Amino acid sequence: MLTKKQLIEFCSDARKNYLDHVSIDCVVFGFHEGQMKVLLLRPHDETKWLLPGGFVMRQEPIEMAANRILKERTGLDKIFLQQFFVFGDPDRAKFHHDLYKEMLPDDENWFSNRFLSIGYYALVDFFGVVPQPDQFSATCTWRDLDDMPEFLLDHEQIFKGALDALRLQLNYQPIGYNLMPKQFTMPELQKLYESILGKKLDRRNFQRRILGFGILNRAEQPRKGGAHKAPYLYSFDLEKYQNALTEGFKGGW
């Protein structure tokens, strides 16, 4: 919670520099040790959590605002971003309004505005992210996709909407280039898909289908070491991957 002085400074800066009524909330997905992760923030003196988000500067394109907000939280410059929905419940800012209503009258309190929030999901390299909390938060960290905490505001709805959109993307666009290491095995890529979908996939069917997309290159030599037969390493063919993002493909998992 901000002090009254900090709140006055924040509201003054917000009214001067940002659009009224428009915000951005981002669901940031990473992949580590066979598990999808989501980047979350926990506000000061709170047990519930929030998604990374922020406001749009007056002369700033929406996409640029989303990239700026995520760079502040992750340290990354180039991020795969997909806009998926606009959230506009009239009471979505009620928590912050009630939190600070005793400090400032409504005409001076930025959180008295009704905000439409543009939802994005982002796919990032887990190891490239340096989580940074914002001024309202005590911590910014990764949480497992299958172990989400309780959310503030409507952020559980936004998170679920992003996950649904990501699962839908698997049916017509490739996933993995922004999440996997440069080289990976077929079981590791399958684990990524299973983690997103929340279900097991048949190994042979998965391999046949993913190779049929024509977006992978197989290394000449298998991975070295290990007691069992060494699996082959794969990497994404970036040109074909980008074409698949643009043109898409059919089917479901």
Side-chain angles (χ1 to χ4, degrees):
M1 184 173 179
L2 300 179
T3 65
K4 184 173 182 178
K5 180 181 178 181
Q6 290 172 327
L7 179 64
I8 291 172
E9 290 175 350
F10 170 81
C11 291
S12 175
D13 177 70
R15 286 194 301 272
K16 184 188 305 180
N17 296 307
Y18 296 96
L19 291 175
D20 293 342
H21 310 300
V22 181
S23 61
I24 289 175
D25 285 300
C26 302
V27 182
V28 182
F29 293 104
F31 187 65
H32 179 55
E33 295 183 343
Q35 174 66 55
M36 286 292 286
K37 308 280 186 176
V38 180
L39 193 67
L40 299 180
L41 298 101
R42 182 176 57 78
H44 296 288
D45 304 317
E46 264 293 338
T47 58
K48 299 179 183 180
W49 294 71
L50 293 169
L51 298 164
F55 303 106
V56 181
M57 293 182 177
R58 293 190 178 277
Q59 299 300 320
E60 186 179 36
I62 297 294
E63 200 82 7
M64 189 176 292
N67 276 280
R68 170 183 54 79
I69 290 165
L70 287 187
K71 183 177 181 180
E72 292 170 355
R73 301 284 74 78
T74 67
L76 297 178
D77 272 314
K78 296 180 180 180
I79 294 178
F80 176 89
L81 273 172
Q82 184 70 46
Q83 187 181 131
F84 68 95
F85 200 71
V86 176
F87 299 85
D89 188 281
D91 292 327
R92 61 182 315 276
K94 186 177 186 301
F95 169 80
H96 284 107
H97 171 262
D98 291 350
L99 188 64
Y100 295 115
K101 67 180 180 181
E102 302 299 328
M103 292 188 185
L104 286 178
D106 281 358
D107 60 349
E108 297 179 25
N109 186 346
W110 177 255
F111 297 108
S112 296
N113 290 324
R114 175 184 175 182
F115 291 101
L116 301 177
S117 189
I118 303 169
Y120 283 87
Y121 68 84
L123 307 178
V124 302
D125 175 9
F126 177 89
F127 293 102
V129 172
V130 181
Q132 294 290 332
D134 59 25
Q135 62 183 312
F136 299 101
S137 303
T139 187
C140 177
T141 190
W142 293 102
R143 296 290 299 254
D144 287 351
L145 181 63
D146 60 1
D147 186 29
M148 287 290 97
E150 191 173 357
F151 286 95
L152 284 167
L153 308 177
D154 55 355
H155 285 206
E156 181 176 3
Q157 180 187 359
I158 297 173
F159 157 69
K160 289 181 176 179
L163 183 57
D164 287 344
L166 180 60
R167 287 170 172 169
L168 181 62
Q169 182 184 338
L170 286 179
N171 291 325
Y172 63 91
Q173 286 182 320
I175 290 285
Y177 177 75
N178 311 88
L179 296 165
M180 299 294 291
K182 185 176 180 180
Q183 288 190 312
F184 48 86
T185 65
M186 191 62 67
E188 288 167 346
L189 184 61
Q190 180 173 336
K191 188 64 179 176
L192 169 66
Y193 275 65
E194 290 176 339
S195 182
I196 294 172
L197 293 168
K199 65 179 182 180
K200 290 288 186 181
L201 298 173
D202 180 79
R203 179 181 62 82
R204 292 181 180 178
N205 288 341
F206 176 83
Q207 181 166 322
R208 182 174 63 251
R209 180 148 188 250
I210 204 74
L211 291 176
F213 294 150
I215 58 174
L216 296 181
N217 294 322
R218 193 178 83 169
E220 293 184 3
Q221 299 295 327
R223 175 179 284 173
K224 296 180 181 179
H228 303 286
K229 182 180 179 181
Y232 276 95
L233 290 169
Y234 292 86
S235 61
F236 287 105
D237 184 311
L238 185 54
E239 182 178 352
K240 293 179 180 179
Y241 187 94
Q242 294 294 349
N243 287 339
L245 282 177
T246 303
E247 298 173 7
F249 46 68
K250 297 180 180 180
W253 293 94

